[in-house]
Amino acid sequence: MKAWKPLWRWLAASTGLVVLVAVAIVVLGPGSGGASTGARSPGEARSTAAGKTPSSTAAPVDQEALVNRMLDQIRAGKPVEPQFAAGDNPAAGAPIEAIKAKPGEELRLGQLSIPRLRVSEPLNNGVDEAALVHGVGHWPGTPLPGSRGNSVVSGHRSTHDKPFLYLDKLRPGDPIVATVGSKRTTYRVVKTTIVPQAEYVKFILRQPADAGAKVITLFACNPITAHYQRIVVQARAD
């Protein structure tokens, strides 16, 4: 029996080692041993749990296909899909009938200039992607710039020509000039407001208490890298 004792000790030690290795694999996961692999950050862990690939390996987005799908949804009267709501789409969360102008209406309405920002952009009809690719867009159903009431204009901050990138730099009294046809109207900035996405539609579409007032409202996504709010600049005609 004395001869068997060393053997039993060896088996016990080997079994303990196997158990420790198994526990380490379960706790740490495969590929987690060694400095070369590194530990996952909390953000990476959340992405993996949600079934998402890290941004460095994500497949490129087919922007043309997404735009075409969005237009199909607009024509069908459906909400804009989440991919656009998460991106630089100022009109995300808006009723579909308010986004796109009626078929057959001329896209180009005039020009919008903001001297402080050195911005001079085509003013187009509608706030869908077709209207905002080159220029800024007039919200269908609101008065045209130069008319009485509140004219609403949308633009991108981080895609395409980025006309409203520095909208936050505007100060009270700064001029905004809108030209529609031969009519040129100069507005002066009154205030800038940050509004949650869920509340911005009602906020920007409010008409002035004074029925004779001429107001223009510019809005875009905010913050530039997150887009869960809207930055809204309101101005009154001289």
Side-chain angles (χ1 to χ4, degrees):
M1 288 297 294
K2 289 183 180 180
W4 285 98
K5 287 183 179 179
L7 178 60
W8 282 112
R9 287 173 184 165
W10 180 85
L11 287 173
S14 300
T15 303
L17 179 61
V18 170
V19 170
L20 286 174
V21 170
V23 170
I25 291 174
V26 170
V27 173
L28 300 177
S32 52
S36 61
T37 55
R40 290 181 180 176
S41 68
E44 289 174 322
R46 283 193 296 270
S47 296
T48 304
K52 298 178 182 177
T53 57
S55 57
S56 59
T57 60
V61 177
D62 186 343
Q63 294 293 341
E64 183 177 356
L66 288 177
V67 169
N68 287 333
R69 279 210 301 276
M70 184 188 76
L71 292 176
D72 288 340
Q73 288 164 346
I74 287 173
R75 295 185 189 106
K78 297 178 180 179
V80 177
E81 65 183 32
Q83 289 94 327
F84 285 91
D88 186 21
N89 174 22
I96 295 302
E97 62 271 15
I99 292 177
K100 190 169 176 62
K102 293 179 181 178
E105 289 183 335
E106 184 181 358
L107 184 65
R108 180 74 177 268
L109 296 176
Q111 196 79 8
L112 184 81
S113 299
I114 310 174
R116 174 182 281 275
L117 307 184
R118 298 182 181 179
V119 165
S120 184
E121 293 282 334
L123 175 62
N124 299 317
N125 196 11
V127 291
D128 60 311
E129 195 65 13
L132 300 181
V133 169
H134 298 294
V136 297
H138 170 256
W139 191 293
T142 66
L144 287 174
S147 303
R148 290 181 296 177
N150 176 26
S151 177
V152 179
V153 176
S154 174
H156 286 304
R157 294 189 81 189
S158 60
T159 58
H160 303 304
D161 295 336
K162 300 185 280 191
F164 286 171
L165 174 60
Y166 297 113
L167 210 59
D168 58 315
K169 305 298 184 185
L170 289 176
R171 298 293 179 263
D174 286 344
I176 297 172
V177 181
T179 304
V180 176
S182 60
K183 190 171 186 178
R184 187 173 185 269
T185 306
T186 299
Y187 301 84
R188 299 282 173 183
V189 172
V190 175
K191 64 178 179 178
T192 299
T193 310
I194 303 297
V195 185
Q197 177 173 301
E199 301 172 15
Y200 87 93
V201 174
K202 184 178 179 180
F203 184 87
I204 66 172
L205 294 181
R206 286 188 303 190
Q207 293 299 310
D210 179 1
K214 296 179 181 179
V215 177
I216 194 168
T217 297
L218 312 183
F219 78 97
C221 291
N222 192 77
I224 295 174
T225 57
H227 316 310
Y228 57 85
Q229 302 167 330
R230 296 297 178 269
I231 180 170
V232 181
V233 174
Q234 295 168 306
R236 281 182 174 264
D238 293 341

